[in-house]
Amino acid sequence: MYDVLIIGGGAAGYGCALTLASVENTQEWAKEKKYLMIDNGKSDILNASFFNLAGVQFGIGGDELYAKMQTQLKNFKSCETKNDTVTKLEKDGELFTVTTQNESYTAKVVVIATGMHKFEINCDLTNVITHTDVMKPGKVALDNNDNKISENLYVAGLASGAKTMFAIANGEGAKVACEIFKSWTGKSAVAHDTIKDKIV
């Protein structure tokens, strides 16, 4: 059983996973949480180079950036990753069942971050719509209200209809994680990195 299961390991998926996991040792309410990100290793990031990401090496290749995100996430024990393809998403009562080509998982919250090219998961919990904020035709998104599809079901990144920039998709993943924090704590919550006491 996972507290949050993220489908998709691109910019939005990693933005969500890193934000969730980053408070595992700083917030009492987060210390027992368990997360899983399922990624099929086919993100568009792998075929790109990046020249406008703040704080990131100019011209970094997508494969190198992807590897850095994988390494970064490994610093946190609360989040597992699986290389697999999700085939079905369903809900029974308050829990979700996520079925992949190899296994089945149960989660309390699901975040869909599958990109804009297609949505081939067998799922009657959401509607596929046309992505209207992209230059290429034939792209898809999932119907949502400010990243929320329904109770405990979220969508982030390009699958939510966001613009096709890494920084925007990554930020959307972090935003969804903070919305999940809010649902757990009943108040606004974010995942600040440590602020140093002194500026040297």
Side-chain angles (χ1 to χ4, degrees), residues 168-188:
I168 294 173
N170 190 246
E172 275 221 341
K175 174 188 170 186
V176 167
C178 290
E179 287 302 307
I180 294 169
F181 292 158
K182 186 177 181 179
S183 74
W184 288 340
T185 64
K187 59 184 179 180
S188 182

Side-chain angles (χ1 to χ4, degrees), residues 63-154:
D63 52 350
E64 185 179 354
L65 180 58
Y66 186 82
K68 285 180 181 293
M69 292 191 298
Q70 288 180 311
T71 300
Q72 191 176 3
L73 189 57
K74 287 177 183 176
N75 285 289
F76 303 108
K77 296 179 180 178
S78 57
C79 189
E80 297 176 48
T81 58
K82 300 278 187 181
N83 188 339
D84 207 343
T85 298
V86 174
T87 57
K88 190 173 184 179
L89 170 61
E90 53 195 333
K91 191 173 186 182
D92 183 11
E94 295 187 358
L95 298 178
F96 294 91
T97 300
V98 178
T99 304
T100 71
Q101 291 177 342
N102 299 302
E103 211 163 334
S104 186
Y105 306 92
T106 304
K108 298 174 183 177
V109 177
V110 169
V111 179
I112 300 172
T114 51
M116 66 178 182
H117 296 300
K118 55 190 175 182
F119 186 73
E120 296 181 327
I121 298 170
N122 181 358
C123 174
D124 61 5
L125 303 174
T126 184
N127 296 313
V128 179
I129 60 175
T130 300
H131 194 308
T132 59
D133 199 12
V134 64
M135 293 177 286
K136 297 179 180 179
K139 302 306 177 186
V140 303
L142 301 181
D143 196 11
N144 69 93
N145 181 12
D146 199 22
N147 299 103
K148 192 168 187 178
I149 296 172
S150 61
E151 191 66 25
N152 294 325
L153 180 60
Y154 298 85

Side-chain angles (χ1 to χ4, degrees), residues 22-38:
S22 68
V23 299
E24 66 183 22
N25 293 319
T26 63
Q27 302 295 331
E28 283 298 324
W29 48 263
K31 289 188 175 178
E32 301 300 320
K33 300 294 186 186
K34 291 176 56 181
Y35 314 112
L36 173 64
M37 183 170 66
I38 301 175

Side-chain angles (χ1 to χ4, degrees), residues 45 48-51 53 56-66 68:
I45 294 170
S49 295
F50 297 92
F51 298 90
L53 286 181
V56 173
Q57 177 188 332
F58 186 77
I60 189 170
D63 52 350
E64 185 179 354
L65 180 58
Y66 186 82
K68 285 180 181 293

